[in-house]
């Protein structure tokens, strides 16, 4: 049973994030997207700020305001902007599929910028994965939807965030990192409001309730993701990240009436297959180094 805890928490986390995406997409029809970002930013920062305080930490600790943590938060700002725009303007199934390329972009960026060794097999997987992305986005094709490019911006920003996370000192608590991650949505929301020229509105009781559910889903996603990485074997747990694609596709089809075409489905399959292969190679190489 203990071996199942990690995968179970990971699936719960991905379900939480998929639910958050769906709620944001529905809310964007009623509330300006920038205002949603402000609510999530203030709400998430408050919750994790309290958690940090209970644990004996502070969000305003100098260690949480500089270096890798600062870079991570700065990248999160752009990730929030691109994610909110993507979810509100592009099909949810497409956004979710493109986001699955993140493990590949992290491997690529680590090889290029951190000089981490990457063999020909993983390079091949990266190329195949990006071919899958191109099958989904299809730039230059007739009927091309420019909004499907927005998730690519989110992938770039999230890749920088994940690389920065690798260098966050162990002395900085997860609650501090998460608190600042949510806080990044505050300036992100302001930028979106100014960029789109949307005025703030007075939410209805239903809007408040939906925003609270969105925040709850996001926080549960964060917490269960941390639990998944702490209690489960990484090799067994990480592949279940791709359950988010299943949840996202199902919600897109059932709730929003989306109909992913064959090329989108094939592209999603290639991305997931390439990501899983890359993960397997990385785990095998780590075990080889450990044994040596």
């Amino acid at each position: 049973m203990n071996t199942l805890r990690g995968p179970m928490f990971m699936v719960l986390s991905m379900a939480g994030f998929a639910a958050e995406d769906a709620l944001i997409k529905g809310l964007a029809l009623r509330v300006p997207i920038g205002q949603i970002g402000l609510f999530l930013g203030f709400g998430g920062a408050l919750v994790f700020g309290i958690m940090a305080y209970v644990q004996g930490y502070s969000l305003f600790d100098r260690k949480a305001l500089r270096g890798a943590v600062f870079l991570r938060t700065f990248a999160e700002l752009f990730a929030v902007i691109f994610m909110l725009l993507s979810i509100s303007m592009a099909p949810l199934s497409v956004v979710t599929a493109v986001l699955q390329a993140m493990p590949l972009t992290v491997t690529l960026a680590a090889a290029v910028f951190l000089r981490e060794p990457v063999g020909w097999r993983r390079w091949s997987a990266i190329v195949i994965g990006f071919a899958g992305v191109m099958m989904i986005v299809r730039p230059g094709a007739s009927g091309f939807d420019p909004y499907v490019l927005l998730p690519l911006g989110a992938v770039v920003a999230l890749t920088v965030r994940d690389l920065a996370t690798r260098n966050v000192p162990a002395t900085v608590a997860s609650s501090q990192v998460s608190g600042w991650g949510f806080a990044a949505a505050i300036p992100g929301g302001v930028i979106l409001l100014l960029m789109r020229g949307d005025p703030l509105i007075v939410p209805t009781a239903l809007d408040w309730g939906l925003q609270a559910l969105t925040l709850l889903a996001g926080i549960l996603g964060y917490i269960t993701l941390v639990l998944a990485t702490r209690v489960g074997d990484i090799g067994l747990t990480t592949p279940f990240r791709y359950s988010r694609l299943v949840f996202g596709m199902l919600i897109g089809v059932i709730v929003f009436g989306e109909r992913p075409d064959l090329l989108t489905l094939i592209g999603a399959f290639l991305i997931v297959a390439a990501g899983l292969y890359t993960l397997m190679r990385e785990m095998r190489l780590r075990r080889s180094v450990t044994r040596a």
Side-chain angles (χ1 to χ4, degrees):
M1 184 63 182
N2 286 338
T3 58
L4 296 178
R5 291 174 64 195
M8 286 171 60
F9 280 128
M10 183 62 77
V11 171
L12 284 174
S13 174
M14 295 303 104
F17 287 133
E20 180 188 29
D21 293 345
L23 286 164
I24 289 173
K25 192 168 187 67
L27 263 173
L29 301 174
R30 307 168 55 88
V31 179
I33 193 67
Q35 188 169 334
I36 297 172
L38 287 175
F39 180 86
L40 295 176
F42 279 113
L46 177 62
V47 170
F48 281 104
I50 293 172
M51 288 177 61
Y53 177 78
V54 170
Q55 295 168 354
Y57 299 98
S58 168
L59 288 186
F60 301 99
D61 188 327
R62 288 184 180 181
K63 292 179 292 187
L65 295 171
R66 65 188 181 190
V69 183
F70 177 81
L71 176 59
R72 185 188 189 281
T73 303
F74 189 68
E76 192 84 70
L77 163 65
F78 288 95
V80 165
I81 292 173
F82 279 110
M83 278 297 297
L84 290 176
L85 286 173
S86 299
I87 292 169
S88 63
M89 303 176 76
L92 187 60
S93 53
V94 169
V95 174
T96 308
V98 172
L99 287 177
Q100 305 315 303
M102 262 194 60
L104 301 173
T105 58
V106 170
T107 300
L108 173 63
V112 174
F113 298 107
L114 303 182
R115 296 290 187 264
E116 291 188 5
V118 174
W120 68 269
R121 293 180 180 85
R122 281 189 288 169
W123 279 117
S124 299
I126 290 170
V127 171
I128 291 171
F130 281 117
V133 172
M134 290 299 102
M135 292 178 72
I136 296 172
V137 176
R138 278 167 269 175
S142 59
F144 168 66
D145 180 2
Y147 292 137
V148 300
L149 294 176
L150 291 170
L152 293 176
V155 167
V156 172
L158 290 170
T159 299
V160 175
R161 182 200 68 180
D162 281 9
L163 288 181
T165 303
R166 294 184 179 188
N167 296 308
V168 171
T171 53
V172 179
S174 297
S175 54
Q176 292 174 299
V177 175
S178 299
W180 279 109
F182 268 97
I186 299 173
V190 172
I191 291 172
L192 284 171
L193 286 171
L194 294 174
M195 186 173 69
R196 293 165 61 90
D198 293 330
L200 291 172
I201 68 167
V202 179
T204 65
L206 176 60
D207 296 334
W208 282 115
L210 290 174
Q211 287 182 119
L213 280 176
T214 305
L215 177 61
L216 177 62
I219 290 174
L220 287 176
Y222 260 90
I223 292 174
T224 49
L225 180 60
V226 171
L227 289 173
T229 55
R230 286 186 172 177
V231 306
D233 175 79
I234 188 170
L236 180 63
T237 300
T238 303
F240 287 88
R241 279 180 177 268
Y242 292 106
S243 61
R244 184 172 181 174
L245 177 60
V246 178
F247 292 126
M249 287 271 189
L250 287 175
I251 292 172
V253 170
I254 296 171
V255 178
F256 298 103
E258 298 172 3
R259 294 294 181 268
D261 59 21
L262 182 59
L263 275 180
T264 298
L265 294 175
I266 294 175
F269 172 79
L270 289 177
I271 293 170
V272 172
L276 286 172
Y277 180 79
T278 301
L279 171 66
M280 290 169 56
R281 287 294 304 171
E282 289 180 356
M283 294 305 300
R284 187 176 300 173
L285 290 171
R286 288 179 188 176
R287 285 195 294 267
S288 298
V289 171
T290 301
R291 288 170 184 168

